[in-house]
Amino acid sequence: MEKIGRYADIGDTENIYFRSVGELDASKLKKSRHWLVWKVNCVQQDIGEMKEIYKNYDLGSLFPSIWVLNKIKTGRMGIKLEEIE
C-alpha cells in the first residue's frame, strides 16, 4: 500500500468496511436493490438488497464535517442515506 503524508502509523486497514447505494440519486429512495460493499483498498461488490451482515458497515462517501461531528456525538449522521434499507 502506498503511504501519502508524513504520519508514520496509518493503522490496521484489514477490518475496515464500507457500504453505499449504487443509485446515482438516492434523494427519494426508500429501499435499494443495488447496495455496494467494500473493504479498504479493494473493489466494490454489488450485493443487491441489504443483508443483515452488512448493516453495521460505515457509509463510504465523503460527508460534510458537521455530519461527521454528529456521527461522533450521536452515532448517526442524521441524513436520509442512513434510513435507506
Side-chain angles (χ1 to χ4, degrees):
M1 171 173 28
E2 179 185 1
K3 182 186 167 312
I4 299 173
R6 291 182 268 162
Y7 190 67
D9 182 10
I10 60 169
D12 176 21
T13 60
E14 284 300 309
N15 296 306
I16 300 174
Y17 298 92
F18 297 101
R19 64 186 166 106
S20 187
V21 291
E23 287 83 5
L24 295 176
D25 181 10
S27 62
K28 295 180 181 160
L29 195 62
K30 299 256 188 239
K31 181 173 185 141
S32 175
R33 289 177 174 78
H34 188 57
W35 277 97
L36 304 170
V37 295
W38 67 97
K39 184 177 176 178
V40 169
N41 297 324
C42 293
V43 177
Q44 295 178 342
Q45 297 177 11
D46 187 333
I47 61 161
E49 290 189 18
M50 177 52 66
K51 296 165 182 62
E52 192 65 35
I53 190 171
Y54 303 117
K55 286 185 176 181
N56 65 332
Y57 286 12
D58 284 315
L59 293 170
S61 300
L62 296 175
F63 299 106
S65 57
I66 190 67
W67 294 0
V68 175
L69 186 58
N70 285 344
K71 172 85 172 176
I72 292 169
K73 288 180 176 179
T74 68
R76 295 185 53 85
M77 286 184 271
I79 60 173
K80 169 121 178 59
L81 191 56
E82 291 176 311
E83 299 169 10
I84 298 173
E85 295 181 17

